[in-house]
Amino acid sequence: LAPSCSPLNFLRNPPTLPTDRPHLYLRRGATCSVDLDRHVRIILVEPQGPINVGAIARLMKNFAVSQLYAVNPQCDPFGDTAKLFATPQAHELLGSIKIVDSVDEALGETSLVVATTARFRDAKETATQRFANPREMAASVVKNTTNGLDSAILFGPEPRGLSNEEMKRANILVNIPSNPSNPVVNLSHAVSIIMYEVFNEAFGERAEQEANRSRLTDSPTAIERAQFVDHLQEMLQDIDYFTTERSVGSAMHNLNTLVNRLPLMTSDLRLLRGIIRKVSNACKARGAAPDSKNLHE
């Protein structure tokens, strides 16, 4: 691999988007009332490996969250290994990790506590909390955030996960669906899945709505669609597509139905008409265009 393409170089200098400003995922002028950065914190209980800690710092930047707590860490969260996997874009976040001695200290005054567990069946038999899948959990976190309240998401240490005592602090227990024969998800991967669901719940639907609104404002008129179909028919006649005069009506009816069914934008029609024009001109320039006057009559 060339130096610029090596995995190590990619870790050190990855391409990035302005994920610390989630409002940029929405169209300019759109409003956003969900402040994940202010109201959501990630709590790692006794994290064992700096690689995971660094990777978590990096993905937190991806999902617009910067509050990271480490309860009695069993590794150096500020060392070179953690920095390597955090990438330079997340070094500031990595350096701001709050090291605390207990889960209660990390929770502080959060009103909603989510605990992740791979021991879903065992926990379900004894726990009194509400169980949720990642998407349901995300809806609760975003609702809490929208109301201006703080949420915490707990992740246990790599070897054992959260203890029963630690899970008792939670309002919601969440389990990531996975292969029953190998249900335990790597710590940083689990944080990524959970935070993706939260981010998507907060911004995904709103961004999609804004994109759809943009598409509606750029939709071609009925006249523009009809003109495009006429232009398309002329080109098809130029290349002798129609075998008989009778086939013209049937084929154009189907094409007209197709054009009206597709969610085309005005710019799409301009592009397609440009292609059609080039094809027609090329046929005429090469003298390949057949005499199809009888099809116009």
Side-chain angles (χ1 to χ4, degrees):
L1 290 175
S4 61
C5 299
S6 70
L8 188 60
N9 188 68
F10 181 83
L11 283 171
R12 288 171 174 161
N13 301 287
T16 59
L17 292 173
T19 49
D20 56 326
R21 292 171 287 167
H23 61 277
L24 294 182
Y25 283 88
L26 309 181
R27 290 181 63 249
R28 190 178 300 277
T31 58
C32 174
S33 60
V34 184
D35 191 348
L36 299 180
D37 188 58
R38 181 178 179 183
H39 293 294
V40 177
R41 66 183 63 175
I42 300 298
I43 300 175
L44 308 179
V45 179
E46 298 183 3
Q48 306 290 307
I51 291 177
N52 273 331
V53 175
I56 289 168
R58 175 181 178 176
L59 66 88
M60 286 176 65
K61 292 285 287 184
N62 292 135
F63 298 120
V65 175
S66 63
Q67 295 188 56
L68 180 58
Y69 287 72
V71 179
N72 189 25
Q74 303 300 298
C75 64
D76 181 6
F78 308 111
D80 291 340
T81 302
K83 288 180 179 178
L84 174 62
F85 282 83
T87 71
Q89 288 73 22
H91 282 179
E92 183 179 354
L93 190 155
L94 193 67
S96 66
I97 294 177
K98 297 177 177 62
I99 307 298
V100 295
D101 296 325
S102 68
V103 171
D104 289 335
E105 186 179 352
L107 292 175
E109 298 181 358
T110 53
S111 62
L112 177 66
V113 179
V114 175
T116 57
T117 177
R119 297 180 288 112
F120 188 63
R121 292 182 179 178
D122 295 340
K124 200 167 185 178
E125 293 177 359
T126 58
T128 58
Q129 298 97 326
R130 179 165 70 89
F131 282 81
N133 61 41
R135 191 159 299 175
E136 294 166 340
M137 172 278 308
S140 296
V141 170
V142 170
K143 181 179 180 181
N144 202 53
T145 301
T146 304
N147 291 331
L149 302 173
D150 295 338
S151 301
I153 306 176
L154 284 168
F155 294 87
E158 292 91 326
R160 62 172 176 84
L162 294 170
S163 68
N164 291 336
E165 192 65 29
E166 289 160 347
M167 285 193 288
K168 286 180 181 178
R169 304 291 196 280
N171 309 104
I172 298 175
L173 296 181
V174 63
N175 172 260
I176 298 172
S178 56
N179 183 356
S181 64
N182 191 25
V184 180
V185 179
N186 172 271
L187 174 60
S188 63
H189 298 175
V191 176
S192 180
I193 293 169
I194 294 298
M195 287 313 304
Y196 163 78
E197 291 291 353
V198 172
F199 187 89
N200 191 53
E201 177 69 23
F203 304 113
E205 182 178 351
R206 184 177 285 106
E208 184 177 349
Q209 290 173 347
E210 290 293 334
N212 289 338
R213 187 175 295 114
S214 174
R215 179 173 289 274
L216 287 174
T217 60
D218 192 33
S219 295
T221 64
I223 294 176
E224 288 172 329
R225 287 176 181 267
Q227 290 173 339
F228 169 73
V229 173
D230 289 342
H231 196 179
L232 178 60
Q233 180 176 346
E234 291 175 7
M235 183 203 71
L236 294 176
Q237 289 173 329
D238 285 342
I239 64 173
D240 201 20
Y241 174 81
F242 304 113
T243 55
T244 65
E245 185 176 354
R246 181 174 296 180
S247 67
V248 177
S250 175
M252 293 313 303
H253 171 76
N254 292 336
L255 287 171
N256 185 70
T257 300
L258 174 63
V259 169
N260 285 320
R261 187 169 65 236
L262 294 175
L264 294 169
M265 301 174 71
T266 303
S267 55
D268 297 330
L269 289 190
R270 284 198 299 267
L271 172 64
L272 292 172
R273 293 193 72 173
I275 294 172
I276 291 172
R277 191 177 299 111
K278 286 284 188 180
V279 171
S280 295
N281 291 341
C283 288
K284 293 171 182 176
R286 294 174 184 174
D291 184 3
S292 55
K293 291 183 179 178
N294 63 310
L295 296 180
H296 293 275
E297 296 175 355

